[in-house]
Amino acid sequence: MNHHRVQLVFFSFVILVAIVINFFVFLPYVSILFLALVFAILFDPLYRFVLNIFGGRGTLASLITVVVVFLVIVGPISFLGTLLFQEASDLYVTLVASGNGGVNQSIGAIHKSIQSISPGTNTALLEGDIQLYLEKGLGWLLGHFSVFFSGILKITFGLFLMLLALFYFFRDGRTFISNIVDLSPLQDVYDKKIINRVMVAINSVVRGHLVIGIVQGSLVGLGFFLFGVPSPVIWGTIAAVASLVPTIGTSLVVIPGIIFVFISGGPLMALGLGLWGAIAVGLIDNLLGPMLINRGTHIHPFLILISALGGLAMFGPIGFLAGPVLLSLLFALLDIYPVIMRGRNPKRGKSSRSSRPI
């Protein structure tokens, strides 16, 4: 008995050491594997559709789906990320190195307009605050994005690794989940419920809120570009985050843009941008929301906003996605927690395969 206990202690120690070592081995690639897993969950319906077309040939279906994901998601995001980094760099140089840059001229125009309306208003502090916040915000943005743009070879390798992981998640997702279910000490029914709830939550949060935010941010950026607002890519990115704010959403960015256009371009231009914001941006929730948001998962938009901002602070740009996904995981686990705590024994035991693949 003592010998058996020694064996168990030694074996547990070896497993713990192996887990710690492998944790540090995989740590540099956690963000890549995370993105691949999220894309695998989001595009699983497309993979199943392609798989049915090609008669169950998983390798070919996985390859085709990965190509589609690259063309639809990865390519445009990489292009927009490059534009955002370049625009932020130019604007930061303008703020720091050029005292008479276009941004300062714009702030000066706002100052003159305020003085013409209310001559006694002191706007010196306002001007300084605007420039200070812009410098700090752009400095943070460049500090995080410079990691991704520090080397073409590193970016290319990371992208290739993510697509390769996505391919295997599509092709071998059922096997991966089966192994997780077998290793879990929970009953098989609980494992399946947790996995399904997590998938539903991720689909709901990412498709329903983040995708709508990205679409609204893109439309805001396009509108700012059409009506002559400087740095439209930056403001579109800010609008994508602001869209998560309950009730007011992108109006936090659109309304100041309308005021800027009114001061610099006149009332007709401001009216045009206002109509663009109301029609092209304001109706997105009503049009895309019912199609993308899964009604079975309810997470308050304010919590999604906090999780996205916290994710950005903790993980960098990928945190905009990681924060809400981790929040959805927590809600999925809390949702199934009362069922497990009641201790009801399901009729089915552990099975060798999970009913739902990634």
Side-chain angles (χ1 to χ4, degrees):
M1 186 67 179
N2 290 335
H3 179 67
H4 179 67
R5 182 176 300 175
V6 170
Q7 285 182 325
L8 290 178
V9 172
F10 176 76
F11 186 71
S12 300
F13 174 76
V14 172
I15 290 180
L16 180 62
V17 171
I19 291 175
V20 171
I21 293 175
N22 280 276
F23 170 79
F24 286 104
V25 168
F26 281 88
L27 185 60
Y29 307 103
V30 168
S31 60
I32 293 175
L33 296 176
F34 170 78
L35 282 178
L37 179 60
V38 171
F39 284 146
I41 294 174
L42 294 178
F43 286 90
D44 178 68
L46 175 62
Y47 168 70
R48 294 296 153 194
F49 175 76
V50 177
L51 187 64
N52 291 331
I53 293 178
F54 289 94
R57 297 168 64 182
T59 300
L60 181 59
S62 300
L63 181 60
I64 293 174
T65 309
V66 167
V67 172
V68 172
V69 171
F70 175 79
L71 294 177
V72 174
I73 300 293
V74 179
I77 287 180
S78 301
F79 176 72
L80 289 176
T82 303
L83 290 180
L84 177 62
F85 181 77
Q86 183 61 48
E87 197 170 273
S89 300
D90 295 340
L91 184 56
Y92 186 79
V93 170
T94 300
L95 285 171
V96 175
S98 177
N100 297 316
V103 175
N104 291 331
Q105 293 176 4
S106 300
I107 296 175
I110 296 174
H111 167 75
K112 292 179 181 179
S113 299
I114 295 176
Q115 287 295 325
S116 64
I117 298 173
S118 178
T121 304
N122 183 8
T123 58
L125 294 177
L126 177 62
E127 293 180 43
D129 289 341
I130 291 176
Q131 183 163 348
L132 178 62
Y133 288 136
L134 283 174
E135 289 180 7
K136 287 185 176 181
L138 291 171
W140 178 89
L141 183 65
L142 293 173
H144 284 81
F145 268 89
S146 62
V147 177
F148 294 92
F149 294 92
S150 58
I152 300 298
L153 182 61
K154 182 178 179 180
I155 300 170
T156 304
F157 176 73
L159 178 61
F160 170 77
L161 193 62
M162 192 205 75
L163 295 176
L164 184 64
L166 181 61
F167 170 82
Y168 286 115
F169 279 144
F170 280 137
R171 196 190 70 173
D172 302 323
R174 185 183 295 272
T175 303
F176 292 155
I177 289 183
S178 175
N179 293 334
I180 293 174
V181 169
D182 289 339
L183 290 173
S184 172
L186 299 176
Q187 294 290 340
D188 188 28
V189 172
Y190 296 152
D191 291 327
K192 292 179 181 179
K193 284 185 178 181
I194 292 174
I195 292 173
N196 289 337
R197 295 287 177 87
V198 169
M199 290 181 177
V200 169
I202 289 176
N203 274 287
S204 176
V205 170
V206 175
R207 290 181 182 175
H209 296 282
L210 298 187
V211 170
I212 291 177
I214 292 173
V215 173
Q216 288 183 317
S218 301
L219 290 175
V220 169
L222 178 60
F224 279 16
F225 172 76
L226 295 175
F227 290 94
V229 178
S231 307
V233 178
I234 292 177
W235 293 117
T237 303
I238 296 174
V241 178
S243 68
L244 299 176
V245 179
T247 308
I248 50 180
T250 53
S251 61
L252 289 171
V253 178
V254 174
I255 292 177
I258 294 174
I259 296 174
F260 174 85
V261 172
F262 178 80
I263 294 173
S264 60
L268 289 179
M269 293 287 287
L271 178 61
L273 182 58
L275 291 175
W276 175 273
I279 297 174
V281 178
L283 294 180
I284 292 299
D285 281 327
N286 295 328
L287 294 177
L288 293 182
M291 293 186 294
L292 296 178
I293 296 179
N294 191 304
R295 299 296 182 182
T297 302
H298 303 281
I299 301 178
H300 197 277
F302 179 73
L303 295 179
I304 296 176
L305 170 66
I306 296 300
S307 66
L309 295 177
L312 283 170
M314 180 169 291
F315 304 111
I318 195 178
F320 184 72
L321 180 64
V325 168
L326 292 175
L327 178 67
S328 66
L329 171 62
L330 174 61
F331 270 75
L333 295 175
L334 292 177
D335 192 30
I336 201 68
Y337 173 78
V339 179
I340 296 178
M341 291 303 295
R342 282 197 294 265
R344 293 178 180 176
N345 292 323
K347 295 180 180 179
R348 290 181 296 173
K350 303 292 289 183
S351 63
S352 59
R353 287 191 178 272
S354 177
S355 61
R356 179 172 180 174
I358 290 180

